[in-house]
Amino acid sequence: MTVIDDLVAAGRQLTALGLSPGSSGNLSVRVGDTIVMSPTGSDLASLHVQQLSVLDFEGKLLSGPKASKEYPFHRAMYRRNVETRAIVHLHSTYAVGVSCLEPWSTMSALPPVTPYFVMRVGQTPLIPYAAPGDSSQAGIIENLGFPFGAVLLQNHGSITSGLTMAAAVDAAIELEEACKLLLLLGTKPARHLTSREACALGSAYSSPWTATDDGSAVPLQRD
């Protein structure tokens, strides 16, 4: 299978899991100096290899149908890490739910609630709200000065990345599960991993989690 076949298969997998309702969400892979992605308004379960959008990094459509207006998010994630080869953007229920809440910290919308969230996703900043397709969010994503491989878009959904489409899909699924758990816990007292525990996992699994000097959690500082 090619990376483009992987994209098509991922669309079917994510839809079957109930993570891509209707025509929401979009997927892409980087192929050389081009980005191949799901077209605008497409049902991810019905993608075809011959009917994908191919763009250059300036956003020019090279072939295929019109690309999603959310193309700038994808480009921003690829620019952040030249090794990234796949992007998954979803409007999955629990991730959207958490994106409507205040973030846990400046670097992650979610606390280190499970080892697997830290290992497979890592810190996931909340990107301030803008209308869908507004390229200002892409600029924020590209220029944030700390490491991450996933974000939540406020009141919108999730973006995950990976060295392969399988890795980006795994991260999207794990992020959705972490968001679900967080919402189920609600306001109940809950133990999170300490900063030392989370950073040790991040180091062992090459997943981004930023340490603090004293090993404590990094709660968001309010004015």
Side-chain angles (χ1 to χ4, degrees), residues 18-21 24-25 70 89-102 109-110 124 126-127 129 151-159 172 175-180 182-183:
L19 302 182
S20 177
S24 67
E70 295 177 328
H89 169 50
L90 299 174
H91 302 170
S92 50
T93 302
Y94 293 103
V96 173
V98 171
S99 81
C100 297
L101 302 177
E102 291 296 314
L110 288 76
T124 302
L126 182 69
I127 306 302
Y129 175 78
V151 303
L152 288 184
L153 304 174
Q154 195 167 47
N155 298 90
H156 185 156
S158 64
I159 302 173
L175 178 55
E176 179 72 356
E177 288 301 306
C179 289
K180 180 179 180 179
L182 195 64
L183 291 173

Side-chain angles (χ1 to χ4, degrees), residues 156-175:
H156 185 156
S158 64
I159 302 173
T160 58
S161 64
L163 304 184
T164 64
M165 179 54 75
V169 167
D170 285 348
I173 294 169
E174 192 62 46
L175 178 55

Side-chain angles (χ1 to χ4, degrees), residues 195-211:
S195 181
R196 287 192 181 93
E197 290 167 340
C199 289
L201 286 169
S203 177
Y205 289 88
S206 300
S207 179
W209 200 274
T210 301

Side-chain angles (χ1 to χ4, degrees), residues 12-89:
R12 293 173 182 159
Q13 178 186 0
L14 292 165
T15 303
L17 291 171
L19 302 182
S20 177
S23 60
S24 67
N26 36 74
L27 311 174
S28 75
V29 291
R30 179 172 185 168
V31 181
D33 293 328
T34 66
I35 296 174
V36 181
M37 72 180 302
S38 52
T40 186
S42 54
D43 176 353
L44 296 188
S46 303
L47 299 176
H48 296 282
V49 171
Q50 298 82 7
Q51 297 176 348
L52 298 173
S53 307
V54 182
L55 306 98
D56 64 19
F57 266 72
E58 299 306 314
K60 178 182 178 182
L61 183 65
L62 301 177
S63 65
K66 182 179 179 181
S68 169
K69 62 181 176 293
E70 295 177 328
Y71 156 76
F73 301 152
H74 294 248
R75 178 173 62 180
M77 295 295 282
Y78 288 123
R79 283 178 170 173
R80 282 194 64 89
N81 184 350
V82 296
E83 295 183 351
T84 294
R85 287 294 179 269
I87 305 293
V88 171
H89 169 50

